[in-house]
Amino acid sequence: MEAHLTRHIASDEPRVMVVDGSKVVRRLIEQVLKADLPGVTVLACESGAEAKQQLEAGVVDFVTTALRLPDMDGLELAQYIREHAPQAYIPIVVVSGDVQERLVARTMTEAVTDYFDKSLGFAALAAFIRGYVRPESNVTGEVLYVEDSRVVALATRRMMEKHGLTVLHVVSVEDALALLDTAKAQGRVPGADIVLTDVNLKGELTGGDLLERIRNDFGYGKAQLPVLVMTGDDNPKNQAVLIRQGANDLVEKPIEERLLITKLLFQLRVGQHARTLMAETA
């Protein structure tokens, strides 16, 4: 039976995949993660092939990978995960001692969410991962919210504003695209910190069309401009289509406040990390 794709990716019992050719490194990372994140399950993989098998076996919340693996490059594995993982956007962090060389050479790709310098130590890495999967403080940001129901929009907007988020609400995809166009023309790229959209909307364009325009016409990747899609369709195949179209994650309707806010804050963190890295390497 196919599983729904709306499972939250930053759970109370996160599953962290650690991919590194060194048994010693894998063991050290596992030890500090279990000490720093009670309830964590560490999936230790020696090779890219083993990591692929683990991805097929169950949901993974977070991936760390070395750049050099016994059977492939870590960036090759990251790209594979982006193209094949049947779930929401998984943060992938490169853990290596030569990350800076790749950044200078512009060989890092958008498949990687972030990077971590191994010289900082594994205790710092555990705290770094915790910041993604179990944050201690809220993240602020601007949400471009697309919803044509006034009743739903009012209730959902109040949820977001209560948690310190700034909400820019529009009723159609056309309005959302106009705002993104204006922001781009003014040099305010990407124009919002995150997009939250319903699938079925009044007008000619749907939430799926908005995804297509954001990812292809604007060229904003999942890390640069996260998109969260609200859907009342619990068919896994239809949910998978939205993920393939470019959704970072899905929120099943009717909306449950805690799940929505947790997912929004998590994806906001992903986007903010990505934009900081882009600015540092520009």
Side-chain angles (χ1 to χ4, degrees):
M1 181 179 294
E2 295 178 271
H4 292 178
L5 306 184
T6 48
R7 175 191 181 277
H8 177 48
I9 64 177
S11 65
D12 293 332
E13 297 181 348
R15 289 164 56 84
V16 177
M17 178 185 292
V18 176
V19 191
D20 199 295
S22 168
K23 183 177 181 180
V24 173
V25 170
R26 295 196 306 273
R27 184 175 295 172
L28 284 170
I29 294 177
E30 181 174 3
Q31 288 175 347
V32 295
L33 284 178
K34 287 186 174 180
D36 199 68
L37 284 167
V40 69
T41 296
V42 178
L43 308 172
C45 303
E46 181 180 3
S47 65
E50 189 176 347
K52 291 178 182 180
Q53 291 177 348
Q54 288 284 9
L55 285 168
E56 294 175 358
V59 172
V60 175
D61 298 312
F62 193 97
V63 176
T64 74
T65 181
L67 279 173
R68 297 183 177 91
L69 301 172
D71 56 348
M72 66 176 64
D73 188 278
L75 299 185
E76 182 184 346
L77 174 62
Q79 189 60 47
Y80 176 89
I81 293 172
R82 288 282 171 256
E83 295 174 355
H84 294 87
Q87 63 186 85
Y89 184 92
I90 307 173
I92 303 172
V93 171
V94 167
V95 180
S96 177
D98 63 353
V99 167
Q100 192 60 36
E101 294 178 13
R102 298 283 188 114
L103 289 173
V104 171
R106 298 294 191 270
T107 54
M108 283 296 189
T109 70
E110 196 178 62
V112 174
T113 306
D114 212 334
Y115 65 87
F116 184 86
D117 188 341
K118 192 182 293 185
S119 67
L120 296 176
F122 294 122
L125 174 62
F128 180 86
I129 294 175
R130 184 184 61 219
Y132 274 103
V133 300
R134 196 173 293 166
E136 296 177 354
S137 59
N138 286 349
V139 176
T140 59
E142 184 176 80
V143 182
L144 175 54
Y145 176 38
V146 191
E147 171 61 66
D148 56 12
S149 167
R150 290 186 178 181
V151 174
V152 172
L154 179 61
T156 307
R157 181 170 186 164
R158 284 175 176 171
M159 289 181 195
M160 292 187 280
E161 291 178 338
K162 183 171 68 175
H163 291 272
L165 298 174
T166 300
V167 181
L168 181 58
H169 173 234
V170 295
V171 297
S172 71
V173 171
E174 290 83 354
D175 289 343
L177 292 172
L179 288 173
L180 292 173
D181 271 323
T182 299
K184 188 173 183 178
Q186 295 174 345
R188 296 183 293 108
V189 173
D193 293 307
I194 192 168
V195 174
L196 174 66
T197 182
D198 199 354
V199 176
N200 299 312
L201 298 158
K202 295 175 183 176
E204 296 183 1
L205 302 178
T206 67
D209 294 319
L210 178 58
L211 277 170
E212 194 275 332
R213 299 288 181 88
I214 288 174
R215 300 299 179 226
N216 298 319
D217 293 357
F218 286 95
Y220 299 148
K222 285 186 174 183
Q224 186 178 13
L225 181 57
V227 178
L228 217 58
V229 177
M230 300 176 292
T231 176
D233 187 347
D234 62 1
N235 185 312
K237 290 183 179 179
N238 294 337
Q239 292 180 355
V241 168
L242 291 169
I243 294 294
R244 287 196 298 270
Q245 286 179 319
N248 283 54
D249 203 350
L250 309 177
V251 183
E252 204 161 358
K253 301 176 71 174
I255 300 299
E256 194 275 310
E257 180 176 344
R258 180 179 180 276
L259 188 60
L260 171 64
I261 297 303
T262 307
K263 289 194 175 195
L264 276 171
L265 295 181
F266 182 85
Q267 295 298 342
L268 276 168
R269 189 172 294 103
V270 168
Q272 289 172 359
H273 270 291
R275 288 188 290 275
T276 298
L277 287 177
M278 290 175 67
E280 289 175 351
T281 58

